Amino acid sequence: MGHIRIAGVSKGYINRRTVQRSPDTAGCFAGDRIAVLDDIHLEFHDGEMVCILGPSGCGKSTLLRIIAGFEACDRGSVVIDGRTVDGPDREHIFVFQHTALFPWMTVRENVGLGVRHLADRKEQGIRIQEYIEMVELDGFEDRYPHQLSGGMQRRAELARALVVNPETLFLDEPFTGLDFLTHMKMREEVTAMHEFIGKTIVMVTHDIDDALIMGDRIVVMSGRPSHVKLVRKLDFPRPRDFRKSPSLNDLRNEIFLMLGVNYAV
Amino acid sequence: MDGIKYFGKNIAFLGRALPEAVRISPAFRRRLFKALPFIAMLAAWQMAVRFSGWSPQVFPGPVAVAAGMWELMENGTLLGHAVASLFRVTVGFYLAMLAGIPLGILLGRWQPAAQMLNPAIQFLRPISPLAWIPLAMLWFGIGDPPAIFLIFLSSFFPLTVSTASAAAAIKPVYFHVGANFRFSRIEVLTKIVMPAILPDILTALRISVTIAWLVVVAAEMIAVTSGLGFLILDARNGLRMDYVMDGMIVIGVIGMCLDSLMMRLARFESVCWGTLAS
């Protein structure tokens, strides 16, 4: 399971510079709204790794937050597995752009959040350990997040999300702030993990190479107000390398051009 | 602590300059380093007494004060006064914590409460607890209750205001995570709000315990017949400046101990999760 249908989603924000903060938003004029998302229609299939690309500030994170239920859209609807999204849910775990591990909890306690309802303590412990080992953080169970490197924090957060065994996983620019090598390793790990667990993953990124190498499907969005510019299913075998696959390289150039870069290097 | 370690390296030459036989251990060197200001104070005090020409009744020297301290300790009055003061500070401070921290969380996390109560709190906050002394004595009579009331007042407002601002400053992303993992209201409070504000509360406690100490002395000078404040006032009336200074020294020592007790809490990772350098 993990089928996502986005039908006609639009979203705007009220321009707080011109309109005073007020609890009712209905009474403002059309010009006071900044349209962010404009009539988005998308469909993601079960078990797909979807990468959403777009220029900075185009509303890709907003779209992801709407799909995950953290924000309401003005028009349209998001349906996951036949259920309309109306709020955050344990089945749809969101991994935030900047680390959102609880800094006052150890790695074990953080990862344990997702299985805290399990009555069987022993099984709980086994599950936690299993996922900590999966992201190769064994030996760091009792460390606090500030004692870990950026990449390790990211991995701990992935473990916290995966231990829930969610139907879908949302990653909001999961590799920002990581150094180059950690970025490459995390890319590899997330791809391997996706193949292993087979869940639907929707990832927002600004890195075109990430999207091309990881994605089963890529979505390119335009600048604000944002609409879908391109949806493409990627059937390239993994591991992918755009230097060896001419058609992947062509697609890469096309996307670079689409996002306003003439000479992709 | 880091600072001291760093400076400890800088005074390493002290150890190196000495012959092997009398070389001092790093731990002892650090302790010596902390003691240096006290030694300097003692020396300056002794010099001032020596060269000021004031009589020992007006400005007693370290030796006279130490002798007075010994007398006070021997007949047990010092301990009695210290315990009386500590009791009042403890009770008043706990009451302030019990009332101030929950109120602060409410103010920080619930907009309407903040909008309603903030002006009233900001109105009451700048009124010195000492200004309440006449009313407190009238209401609660002579004895512990007025002093406890004043200590409560003095620590309640700083605690409430710091708790409120800490609670309001919790990163929203933590609440998103809580919503994602379907936290109950109780879990939001115990797993997010409380641990998130703990480091700030610890700082607030350090500051307000000092204020509470300041106030207890003043309160005891007026409303009661025991405690370190009373000791100082009583000694002044008896023109025993050495006892006055003894009272001051004991207040300082207890204040220092309370602070290091608080800092000990900060060493627990689950309390301060790397926010405080300890």
Side-chain angles (χ1 to χ4, degrees):
Chain A
M1 296 290 268
H3 178 271
I4 303 173
R5 185 192 298 279
I6 300 159
V9 164
S10 297
K11 172 87 183 170
Y13 288 107
I14 294 160
N15 191 346
R16 297 286 183 201
R17 285 192 189 165
T18 56
V19 181
Q20 280 225 322
R21 197 168 274 270
S22 123
D24 84 290
T25 54
C28 62
F29 306 105
D32 299 325
R33 286 187 84 79
I34 301 171
V36 181
L37 298 174
D38 180 29
D39 199 26
I40 308 279
H41 290 269
L42 285 167
E43 187 174 0
F44 307 143
H45 295 287
D46 194 15
E48 268 184 341
M49 162 87 87
V50 181
C51 294
I52 302 177
L53 282 165
S56 131
C58 77
K60 21 184 215 303
S61 288
T62 305
L63 179 63
L64 197 66
R65 295 165 68 85
I66 289 174
I67 304 174
F70 285 108
E71 269 182 59
C73 47
D74 299 340
R75 260 179 293 120
S77 65
V78 178
V79 178
I80 303 182
D81 294 332
R83 270 188 42 226
T84 307
V85 173
D86 56 358
D89 195 296
R90 326 172 24 95
E91 293 299 332
H92 319 305
I93 297 293
F94 198 103
V95 178
F96 290 89
Q97 185 168 359
H98 301 289
T99 179
L101 289 170
F102 290 148
W104 47 84
M105 291 183 180
T106 59
V107 170
R108 193 198 306 278
E109 287 166 334
N110 264 297
V111 174
L113 285 178
V115 287
R116 69 192 190 289
H117 58 282
L118 286 183
D120 187 352
R121 293 269 149 206
K122 213 170 155 195
E123 194 197 326
Q124 200 180 348
I126 291 169
R127 276 279 284 282
I128 295 170
Q129 199 56 38
E130 183 187 332
Y131 281 88
I132 287 177
E133 275 166 25
M134 181 177 159
V135 296
E136 290 170 11
L137 279 178
D138 34 331
F140 295 92
E141 293 92 341
D142 295 318
R143 298 293 179 87
Y144 285 86
H146 74 96
Q147 296 166 323
L148 304 178
S149 71
M152 288 160 98
Q153 288 180 8
R154 275 292 138 96
R155 295 210 300 261
E157 211 166 342
L158 275 179
R160 182 174 78 173
L162 290 171
V163 77
V164 185
N165 200 13
E167 292 298 340
T168 49
L169 199 60
F170 300 104
L171 312 178
D172 188 3
E173 305 205 5
F175 309 134
T176 36
L178 299 178
D179 65 277
F180 181 75
L181 280 178
T182 316
H183 181 160
M184 293 297 124
K185 273 185 215 151
M186 286 292 294
R187 181 152 98 184
E188 206 178 306
E189 274 170 39
V190 172
T191 312
M193 179 196 81
H194 174 245
E195 273 175 16
F196 180 64
I197 60 170
K199 305 281 176 192
T200 307
I201 298 181
V202 183
M203 183 175 105
V204 158
T205 176
H206 55 251
D207 189 318
I208 294 168
D209 292 350
D210 277 354
L212 288 174
I213 283 171
M214 298 171 72
D216 293 319
R217 181 184 294 274
I218 54 167
V219 176
V220 181
M221 295 177 57
S222 71
R224 232 173 31 218
S226 190
H227 54 267
V228 178
K229 254 186 167 173
L230 173 106
V231 184
R232 183 77 58 90
K233 184 144 180 64
L234 303 182
D235 284 324
F236 304 97
R238 292 196 175 89
R240 293 172 182 165
D241 188 342
F242 50 77
R243 276 160 300 197
K244 287 179 190 148
S245 156
S247 54
L248 191 63
N249 198 37
D250 288 346
L251 180 63
R252 182 170 179 260
N253 288 338
E254 190 189 329
I255 294 170
F256 266 106
L257 201 63
M258 209 177 266
L259 293 173
V261 183
N262 293 326
Y263 297 102
V265 281
Chain B
M1 282 306 259
D2 273 350
I4 286 158
K5 258 181 233 153
Y6 175 73
F7 283 117
K9 268 178 213 148
N10 274 5
I11 57 161
F13 68 89
L14 281 180
R16 241 176 286 128
L18 294 168
E20 191 69 42
V22 285
R23 193 162 286 180
I24 45 188
S25 75
F28 181 75
R29 199 184 301 152
R30 264 201 300 281
R31 219 165 288 157
L32 183 74
F33 199 64
K34 285 183 194 173
L36 272 178
F38 290 100
I39 296 168
M41 263 196 291
L42 270 177
W45 180 10
Q46 182 60 49
M47 299 280 264
V49 168
R50 185 96 168 68
F51 296 106
S52 67
W54 285 337
S55 81
Q57 273 71 41
V58 177
F59 190 13
V63 180
V65 169
M69 183 82 86
W70 178 248
E71 283 165 35
L72 285 174
M73 284 210 272
E74 212 177 20
N75 61 25
T77 45
L78 192 63
L79 187 70
H81 287 312
V83 168
S85 291
L86 263 176
F87 168 73
R88 289 177 194 127
V89 169
T90 311
V91 174
F93 196 62
Y94 271 115
L95 287 176
M97 272 168 67
L98 279 178
I101 293 174
L103 181 65
I105 292 177
L106 184 75
L107 291 175
R109 295 305 323 165
W110 197 43
Q111 274 282 318
Q115 280 166 355
M116 190 171 82
L117 292 177
N118 226 355
I121 288 173
Q122 299 309 333
F123 165 74
L124 289 170
R125 201 157 72 100
I127 300 172
S128 162
L130 305 183
W132 287 86
I133 288 178
L135 289 174
M137 284 176 70
L138 212 57
W139 293 342
F140 301 108
I142 300 289
D144 284 337
I148 290 170
F149 174 69
L150 294 175
I151 291 155
F152 170 80
L153 275 181
S154 71
S155 5
F156 173 72
F157 291 113
L159 267 178
T160 309
V161 172
S162 347
T163 309
S165 72
I170 301 173
K171 280 204 272 171
V173 72
Y174 298 138
F175 293 103
H176 292 321
V177 172
N180 211 168
F181 285 100
R182 284 289 169 99
F183 277 15
S184 64
R185 275 169 173 269
I186 301 291
E187 280 178 313
V188 169
L189 197 65
T190 55
K191 288 199 163 88
I192 301 177
V193 175
M194 309 246 261
I197 62 178
L198 216 49
D200 294 290
I201 287 191
L202 204 65
T203 310
L205 289 178
R206 282 181 72 195
I207 292 167
S208 45
V209 81
T210 314
I211 301 173
W213 247 146
L214 293 178
V215 170
V216 76
V217 171
E220 282 167 350
M221 285 184 171
I222 295 154
V224 288
T225 54
S226 64
L228 294 168
F230 173 75
L231 169 72
I232 290 175
L233 190 83
D234 197 40
R236 188 208 65 171
N237 291 342
L239 286 178
R240 289 294 301 263
M241 289 309 133
D242 51 341
Y243 286 179
V244 170
M245 286 184 159
D246 288 330
M248 290 163 66
I249 290 169
V250 173
I251 289 167
V253 168
I254 295 178
M256 210 166 69
C257 293
L258 286 177
D259 191 61
S260 80
L261 213 71
M262 297 274 183
M263 282 311 282
R264 219 158 270 267
L265 268 179
R267 292 199 198 144
F268 289 105
E269 281 291 344
S270 56
V271 174
C272 278
W273 34 280
T275 53
L276 289 181
S278 59

